[in-house]
Amino acid sequence: MSNFRPKNRESGACANVCFKVTLFATYYEIVTMNRRTTIKDIAAQLGVSHSTVSRALRGDKRISSTTVENVRRVAERIGYRPNILACGLVHNRTSLIGILTSNVRGSFFADVIDGAQSVLDKRRYSILLCCSHKNPAAERAHLETLIDKQVEGIILLPVTSCGTNSRVIRQAQDLHIPIVIVGTRKKEVNAPMIGTDNEQGGYLAARHLLDLGHRRIIYITPSKEDLHSERHRFGLENAQRYRGYLRAMKDFGLDSEISTIEIDPDVQDMTPLRDILKKKNAPTAFFAYSDRLAISAMQASLSWGYRVPTDLSFVGFDDIDFASLVYPPLTSIAQPKLDMGRFAAKKILNQIEGLPEDDLTCTPELRKRDSSGPAPK
Amino acid sequence: MSNFRPKNRESGACANVCFKVTLFATYYEIVTMNRRTTIKDIAAQLGVSHSTVSRALRGDKRISSTTVENVRRVAERIGYRPNILACGLVHNRTSLIGILTSNVRGSFFADVIDGAQSVLDKRRYSILLCCSHKNPAAERAHLETLIDKQVEGIILLPVTSCGTNSRVIRQAQDLHIPIVIVGTRKKEVNAPMIGTDNEQGGYLAARHLLDLGHRRIIYITPSKEDLHSERHRFGLENAQRYRGYLRAMKDFGLDSEISTIEIDPDVQDMTPLRDILKKKNAPTAFFAYSDRLAISAMQASLSWGYRVPTDLSFVGFDDIDFASLVYPPLTSIAQPKLDMGRFAAKKILNQIEGLPEDDLTCTPELRKRDSSGPAPK
DNA sequence: TAGTTTTGTGCAAACGTGTGCATCGTACCA
DNA sequence: TGGTACGATGCACACGTTTGCACAAAACTA
């Protein structure tokens, strides 16, 4: 078989070359079946150097058009695909963007990913996905993995503990890996952020209920601690949404009516809700930190015989898919999730190109549905 | 500054070495701030060759323990991280597993990812995520990207059109990239699959309703076409679940009661449901292709004044998060999604190691909740 | 015809790491 | 003292690309 091996400097007329191509393609189809083909294979078949092939493929205008054409043809025939590791080694690029999130579940995450992917796709970047499950140690490990894998940028989705991992984040930044935070940023971390005006969202929700005539409006928080302390299980968003609610209530002079109940979404214990509904002067409306929480509370109330929105009104936050699927459809505050993902990707790409980037705050929007209605007499 | 540059063959006593280390660390901290440090940096500081450093870091036992220790110390000090591109180039590895899915939304996807990640993490693999939105062209493009990025394996999540892209899939297999399909496989594609016994799931659901005394049970399909033809918008699952329903009905001699309505989940037009409920001898129970569909139908029925489960019973499929959050909580058929993800990852890893792999079919399970109850008199 | 430009290629080094083999020094043995 | 064995390290090449530079041939110019 070795007599088939092409000799190096054996160029010739085009027809001749074509003949050899056919011949050697057969040879190579046998030999290279089990490995990726390289520019050297192409070079050998055409009797040119691999640098010529490289230049031809990259469209270097110094290469004659006939050579370029030959190279293209052989490349196509033997199914050549560039080795991205080798290219990456030379250019110090991986075309990888890391996305670190605390939970892969939920439409917020999905929409942001979708939005980011649509932008990154066009620039031939791929997404390296990590999920930390709110575990700071896992989060740090994943950040280190991302750095080790030499991603060219990192998108941080609501990662509750990133405050505690600011050291790794700085480490990434020292290596000039751009970072963008989607959601809310801890003050320890210095990176451009894309967020929603949660305070405004909270205000919109409360204001909507107030305009419907409700006065006794309760904020449902996943964690009371979040609202006042510096430790935030659910990020700063919770405190911000609550602050918007406060502002609306105070605008109406309802300082004395301000009140919250805590429902842990993981535990789903509804007794605080049941208790407050039993009191005299029970609330007529609820504004929840999240749609999930709002839906749980609403469905629990239904199961106890309350009518929605006749007896009780509910407003959620995030406008997830299911907000419009449950009965009654849930009024919610929407954030432009897809756009946030797109912007995040753009911010990363801009930073990669050396452009400075700063924060971007999106405006939330009220999606009125049937779960909120006029306050009962 | 260049007089600080370490000369190559300038070894010395340990104390001397340590002194130099300190000195040059300072030098290097200045010089290398803007790039990743390499084994050459370590080698230069210690006055050894880079091969020695490489061997020391890899734990080659031919290297003296003092050298190993020195190398480790310097590596730590200058924050050395191996260049994964270079390693990959030598070993022809990327430590990347591609996951291609049609939609990133939904708990099926999320759980499978989670499960896969937990297994892949331990083996230091990362996940390259692509989402094709049920678009065959995008799907093919993404598959090609995955091949180009030299992933070491591909997990295909319910990708409706993979039949049309079997050529690319075969291309990947020719390059010895292992593939696992989670969900259902098209017959054009020859790869190990990990799925649920959808037929059995359908049987369980229908059987559950039959045991509760229901006789007029309707199957809600996202597309009637799916049930009989070869074209499947929603994969083969739909036909399989329907077949399970058929078997249960026939077991009870209810061939004449077999009936379906079509509700497109993207359009959410509920008139077929309304129409069938208006008929005399209206159905008393519904079994839907998916939880999403079941929930929509159930909530629509509630809005028309029907009581669940007093008047109507509903059973879904998939046991998504929201199944237990809606009111009344939805009875559903669960698949072991997390495990399916774990198994998928294991199958990929095994194949990478050259072990043969074949299909795995998981057993579905009924999760009884309040949306299904005894048939009305 | 000799010199200059242009055109098309090849050579060799580089990216950062891994590794077979050669080499060097030392210790041990006869 | 000569030979052998062994432990520790360096050299040089490999992986697949890209790219600065040199160089040859061809095409001009004078």
Side-chain angles (χ1 to χ4, degrees):
Chain A
M1 187 119 79
S2 67
N3 55 335
F4 276 88
R5 169 158 286 125
K7 294 177 208 84
N8 234 2
R9 306 297 318 278
E10 205 185 39
S11 174
C14 182
N16 189 9
V17 168
C18 292
F19 170 68
K20 283 200 302 190
V21 166
T22 318
L23 191 70
F24 293 144
T26 314
Y27 160 70
Y28 266 85
E29 271 158 21
I30 296 165
V31 169
T32 66
M33 204 105 106
N34 288 345
R35 62 168 176 84
R36 297 173 79 100
T37 50
T38 72
I39 52 171
K40 287 186 186 169
D41 297 319
I42 302 176
Q45 291 191 43
L46 287 171
V48 298
S49 79
H50 72 275
S51 5
T52 301
V53 175
S54 169
R55 281 192 258 260
L57 290 171
R58 307 218 56 200
D60 191 310
K61 45 191 179 297
R62 290 176 305 174
I63 303 296
S64 72
S65 54
T66 63
T67 306
V68 169
E69 202 184 323
N70 284 335
V71 168
R72 291 250 170 82
R73 188 176 36 236
V74 178
E76 168 83 10
R77 144 169 272 142
I78 67 175
Y80 168 76
R81 304 263 69 190
N83 184 317
I84 217 158
L85 291 170
C87 299
L89 186 57
V90 172
H91 294 123
N92 202 22
R93 295 196 46 198
T94 55
S95 298
L96 252 33
I97 301 293
I99 297 191
L100 178 58
T101 173
S102 48
N103 77 326
V104 73
R105 222 168 250 95
S107 71
F108 182 79
F109 162 81
D111 277 342
V112 173
I113 291 260
D114 263 10
Q117 194 196 247
S118 67
V119 170
L120 295 177
D121 256 12
K122 287 179 197 138
R123 303 283 285 273
R124 315 245 62 205
Y125 279 92
S126 297
I127 292 175
L128 213 58
L129 183 69
C130 299
C131 177
S132 66
H133 299 284
K134 297 194 177 188
N135 172 353
E139 188 176 303
R140 183 156 30 85
H142 280 130
L143 273 169
E144 279 168 357
T145 304
L146 289 179
I147 295 175
D148 279 355
K149 298 263 159 147
Q150 291 165 256
V151 296
E152 293 181 43
I154 300 178
I155 297 178
L156 249 31
L157 287 204
V159 178
T160 54
S161 54
C162 69
T164 67
N165 281 324
S166 52
R167 207 187 54 81
V168 202
I169 292 178
R170 214 164 311 120
Q171 189 179 322
Q173 290 174 321
D174 285 346
L175 289 166
H176 297 102
I177 301 176
I179 292 183
V180 164
I181 299 183
V182 182
T184 28
R185 175 183 49 212
K186 297 271 177 158
K187 59 178 174 302
E188 298 90 346
V189 181
N190 179 27
M193 179 208 76
I194 284 186
T196 305
D197 189 340
N198 282 293
E199 203 271 352
Q200 175 66 8
Y203 180 84
L204 279 179
R207 179 65 198 245
H208 167 65
L209 291 168
L210 288 163
D211 287 344
L212 285 168
H214 295 276
R215 290 299 175 266
R216 295 189 300 282
I217 304 170
I218 301 287
Y219 181 75
I220 307 181
T221 171
S223 156
K224 285 218 179 188
E225 210 179 350
D226 279 14
L227 303 184
H228 311 290
S229 80
E230 281 299 307
R231 281 194 55 257
H232 300 295
R233 271 186 62 203
F234 297 86
L236 287 166
E237 296 97 330
N238 193 15
Q240 291 167 347
R241 292 171 194 179
Y242 177 63
R243 214 177 310 135
Y245 155 85
L246 283 186
R247 180 158 62 89
M249 294 293 275
K250 285 178 180 164
D251 279 2
F252 272 67
L254 295 171
D255 302 54
S256 60
E257 296 290 349
I258 289 164
S259 178
T260 65
I261 59 172
E262 174 179 308
I263 298 180
D264 187 320
D266 297 328
V267 181
Q268 296 271 352
D269 176 13
M270 294 293 163
T271 45
L273 178 64
R274 178 163 237 161
D275 290 347
I276 206 162
L277 285 171
K278 276 185 191 151
K279 286 187 181 166
K280 65 169 188 170
N281 280 335
T284 61
F286 294 89
F287 164 46
Y289 161 73
S290 69
D291 280 354
R292 211 189 144 90
L293 225 38
I295 290 173
S296 312
M298 180 169 76
Q299 307 282 6
S301 309
L302 288 170
S303 75
W304 298 328
Y306 293 92
R307 292 161 302 169
V308 177
T310 319
D311 305 325
L312 297 173
S313 285
F314 289 87
V315 177
F317 206 113
D318 252 2
D319 195 30
I320 62 176
D321 282 6
F322 273 87
S324 52
L325 289 183
V326 293
Y327 175 75
L330 182 72
T331 298
S332 185
I333 304 292
Q335 352 182 16
K337 291 170 277 191
L338 266 173
D339 282 335
M340 289 170 79
R342 291 197 196 100
F343 282 130
K346 280 180 196 156
K347 274 186 189 301
I348 288 286
L349 295 176
N350 283 342
Q351 283 186 80
I352 289 176
E353 285 167 7
L355 278 55
E357 278 291 343
D358 50 6
D359 291 0
L360 175 66
T361 303
C362 303
T363 312
E365 203 176 279
L366 177 77
R367 296 271 159 83
K368 167 78 180 83
R369 298 203 185 85
D370 296 346
S371 71
S372 58
K377 297 292 158 337
Chain B
M1 189 120 79
S2 67
N3 53 335
F4 277 88
R5 170 160 284 128
K7 293 177 208 84
N8 234 4
R9 309 295 320 277
E10 204 184 40
S11 173
C14 181
N16 189 8
V17 169
C18 293
F19 169 68
K20 283 200 301 188
V21 166
T22 319
L23 191 67
F24 292 143
T26 314
Y27 161 70
Y28 266 86
E29 274 158 20
I30 295 165
V31 169
T32 68
M33 203 104 107
N34 288 345
R35 62 170 178 84
R36 298 173 78 100
T37 51
T38 73
I39 54 170
K40 287 187 185 167
D41 296 320
I42 303 176
Q45 291 190 43
L46 288 170
V48 298
S49 78
H50 75 275
S51 5
T52 302
V53 175
S54 170
R55 281 193 256 261
L57 289 172
R58 308 217 58 198
D60 191 311
K61 45 192 178 297
R62 291 176 304 175
I63 303 295
S64 73
S65 55
T66 63
T67 305
V68 170
E69 203 185 323
N70 283 336
V71 168
R72 292 249 169 82
R73 187 177 35 238
V74 178
E76 167 83 11
R77 145 170 271 142
I78 68 174
Y80 169 76
R81 305 264 69 190
N83 184 318
I84 218 157
L85 290 169
C87 299
L89 186 57
V90 173
H91 293 123
N92 202 22
R93 293 196 48 199
T94 54
S95 298
L96 253 32
I97 301 292
I99 298 191
L100 177 58
T101 173
S102 48
N103 77 325
V104 72
R105 222 169 249 95
S107 72
F108 182 79
F109 161 82
D111 276 342
V112 173
I113 290 261
D114 262 10
Q117 194 196 248
S118 68
V119 170
L120 295 176
D121 257 10
K122 286 179 197 137
R123 303 283 286 274
R124 316 245 62 206
Y125 279 93
S126 297
I127 291 174
L128 213 57
L129 183 69
C130 300
C131 179
S132 66
H133 299 284
K134 298 195 177 186
N135 172 353
E139 190 176 302
R140 181 156 32 84
H142 279 131
L143 273 169
E144 279 168 357
T145 304
L146 289 179
I147 295 175
D148 279 354
K149 298 263 158 144
Q150 290 164 261
V151 295
E152 293 181 44
I154 299 179
I155 297 178
L156 248 30
L157 286 205
V159 177
T160 53
S161 53
C162 67
T164 67
N165 283 323
S166 51
R167 206 188 56 80
V168 202
I169 292 179
R170 212 162 314 118
Q171 188 179 323
Q173 289 174 322
D174 286 345
L175 289 166
H176 297 102
I177 301 177
I179 292 184
V180 165
I181 299 185
V182 181
T184 28
R185 175 182 51 211
K186 297 272 177 159
K187 59 179 175 304
E188 298 91 346
V189 181
N190 179 27
M193 179 210 73
I194 173 154
T196 306
D197 189 340
N198 282 293
E199 202 272 352
Q200 174 66 9
Y203 181 83
L204 278 180
R207 180 65 198 243
H208 167 65
L209 292 168
L210 289 162
D211 286 343
L212 285 169
H214 296 276
R215 290 301 175 264
R216 296 189 299 282
I217 304 169
I218 301 288
Y219 181 73
I220 307 181
T221 171
S223 153
K224 285 218 177 186
E225 210 179 351
D226 279 14
L227 301 184
H228 311 292
S229 79
E230 281 299 307
R231 282 194 56 254
H232 299 296
R233 270 187 61 202
F234 296 87
L236 287 165
E237 297 97 330
N238 193 14
Q240 290 168 347
R241 291 172 195 178
Y242 176 64
R243 215 178 308 135
Y245 154 85
L246 283 186
R247 178 158 63 91
M249 294 294 275
K250 286 178 178 163
D251 279 1
F252 271 67
L254 295 171
D255 302 53
S256 61
E257 297 290 349
I258 288 165
S259 180
T260 65
I261 58 172
E262 174 179 308
I263 298 179
D264 186 320
D266 296 329
V267 181
Q268 297 271 351
D269 175 15
M270 293 293 163
T271 44
L273 177 65
R274 179 163 236 162
D275 290 347
I276 207 162
L277 285 173
K278 276 185 190 152
K279 286 189 181 168
K280 67 171 187 170
N281 282 334
T284 62
F286 294 89
F287 163 45
Y289 161 74
S290 69
D291 280 355
R292 211 188 143 89
L293 225 39
I295 290 174
S296 313
M298 180 168 77
Q299 307 282 3
S301 308
L302 287 170
S303 74
W304 299 328
Y306 294 93
R307 290 160 303 169
V308 178
T310 319
D311 305 325
L312 298 172
S313 285
F314 288 87
V315 177
F317 206 112
D318 253 3
D319 195 29
I320 61 176
D321 283 6
F322 273 87
S324 53
L325 287 184
V326 293
Y327 174 75
L330 183 72
T331 298
S332 185
I333 305 293
Q335 350 183 17
K337 292 169 277 191
L338 265 173
D339 282 336
M340 289 170 77
R342 289 197 197 100
F343 283 130
K346 279 179 196 155
K347 274 186 189 299
I348 287 286
L349 295 177
N350 283 343
Q351 285 187 79
I352 289 176
E353 285 166 8
L355 277 56
E357 278 291 343
D358 49 6
D359 291 358
L360 176 66
T361 302
C362 303
T363 312
E365 203 177 280
L366 177 76
R367 297 272 158 80
K368 167 79 180 83
R369 299 204 183 85
D370 297 346
S371 70
S372 58
K377 296 292 161 331

